[in-house]
């Protein structure tokens, strides 16, 4: 009985690893054109990248309510929006955890979180998880900076916000901030990717 339970656990772990690996391997790479999406915001309205024709790009954050690392980075995501929205790079946050596996990430809980924290950016619910899979998001938080190229958006940065999720004051590599500043200056992004650190996205059962 114990052996059967152990084998079942190992099979579950392998499945989760393969699902995460599949998402990562089939997601966007730097330079790829992003397929637009339309997801429901916490205010009930549908939001897409095409809604703001005047933006230069977006800082897209796959995040959630419940992951301790996502919570540690929440203030930094809000600060990124404060710093860059007026310069043409607003934040769009997306919650993709399966709410059945993580009730604290339900749509209602998202609404409560956004209200309590006074989010000044959309907090979108990727209920089907299709957008997270298309992007190749695996963690919360997992950041994507996309730059406008005509009518399209291209991926310019993928990965972590910075190199210290414990303490923003001691983070000496602020990947997203540097990437957006370089894009605003018309430069190539020096560090176009950095390993995202955080909780694995809780996928729906296959």
């Amino acid at each position: 009985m114990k052996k059967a339970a152990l084998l079942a656990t190992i099979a579950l772990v392998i499945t989760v690893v393969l699902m995460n690996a599949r998402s990562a391997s089939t997601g966007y790479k730097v330079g790829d054109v992003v397929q637009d999406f339309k997801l429901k915001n916490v205010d009930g309205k549908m939001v897409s990248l095409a809604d703001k024709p005047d933006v230069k790009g977006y800082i897209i954050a796959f995040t959630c309510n419940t992951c301790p690392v996502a919570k540690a980075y929440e203030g930094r995501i809000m600060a990124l929006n404060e710093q860059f929205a007026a310069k043409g790079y607003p934040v769009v946050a997306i919650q993709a955890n399966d709410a059945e596996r993580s009730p604290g990430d339900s749509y209602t809980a998202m609404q409560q979180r956004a209200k309590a924290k006074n989010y000044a950016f959309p907090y979108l619910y990727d209920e089907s998880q299709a957008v997270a899979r298309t992007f190749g998001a695996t963690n919360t938080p997992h950041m994507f900076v996309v730059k406008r190229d005509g009518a399209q958006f291209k991926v310019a940065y993928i990965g972590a916000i910075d190199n210290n999720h414990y303490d923003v004051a001691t983070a000496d590599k602020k990947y997203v901030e540097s990437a957006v500043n370089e894009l605003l200056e018309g430069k190539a992004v020096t560090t176009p990717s950095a390993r995202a650190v955080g909780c694995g996205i809780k996928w729906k059962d296959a």
Side-chain angles (χ1 to χ4, degrees):
M1 191 67 180
K2 289 183 178 178
K3 185 177 180 180
L6 177 62
L7 290 173
T9 301
I10 292 172
L12 177 61
V13 170
I14 291 173
T15 300
V16 170
V17 169
L18 289 175
M19 287 176 69
N20 284 337
R22 181 176 60 188
S23 295
S25 64
T26 58
Y28 291 133
K29 305 294 185 296
V30 172
D32 284 352
V33 173
V34 173
Q35 181 181 348
D36 203 357
F37 52 79
K38 185 169 286 189
L39 294 174
K40 187 164 71 171
N41 192 14
V42 288
D43 64 2
K45 297 179 180 177
M46 302 301 288
V47 171
S48 71
L49 298 179
D51 289 345
K52 294 186 175 183
D54 56 336
V55 299
K56 299 173 183 175
Y58 289 97
I59 300 170
I60 299 173
F62 287 88
T63 186
C64 69
N65 288 5
T66 56
C67 171
V69 181
K71 290 180 179 178
Y73 272 119
E74 183 180 45
R76 278 171 265 188
I77 292 172
M78 296 169 71
L80 285 169
N81 189 66
E82 291 176 9
Q83 183 176 358
F84 291 115
K87 297 179 180 178
Y89 279 87
V91 165
V92 172
I94 300 174
Q95 197 297 103
N97 278 342
D98 176 21
E100 289 192 11
R101 295 185 58 196
S102 182
D105 290 312
S106 69
Y107 182 67
T108 299
M110 289 173 58
Q111 291 175 306
Q112 294 169 345
R113 185 84 183 180
K115 183 177 181 181
K117 297 295 182 177
N118 196 26
Y119 286 175
F121 46 81
Y123 190 26
L124 310 180
Y125 187 29
D126 183 15
E127 186 173 10
S128 71
Q129 303 182 315
V131 176
R133 291 192 183 282
T134 299
F135 271 73
T138 57
N139 294 69
T140 54
H142 201 155
M143 309 297 291
F144 293 77
V145 177
V146 300
K147 175 188 175 185
R148 179 182 292 281
D149 183 7
Q152 300 175 321
F153 292 94
K154 288 186 175 180
V155 178
Y157 173 80
I158 302 173
I161 294 176
D162 57 37
N163 66 343
N164 192 329
H165 68 274
Y166 295 107
D167 182 11
V168 63
T170 57
D172 58 4
K173 293 181 180 179
K174 299 182 179 180
Y175 303 116
V176 172
E177 180 179 329
S178 296
V180 178
N181 277 327
E182 288 175 331
L183 291 172
L184 288 170
E185 294 170 3
K187 300 178 181 177
V189 175
T190 303
T191 304
S193 64
R195 186 172 68 89
V197 176
C199 308
I201 289 178
K202 296 175 178 60
W203 301 106
K204 296 177 183 293
D205 294 333

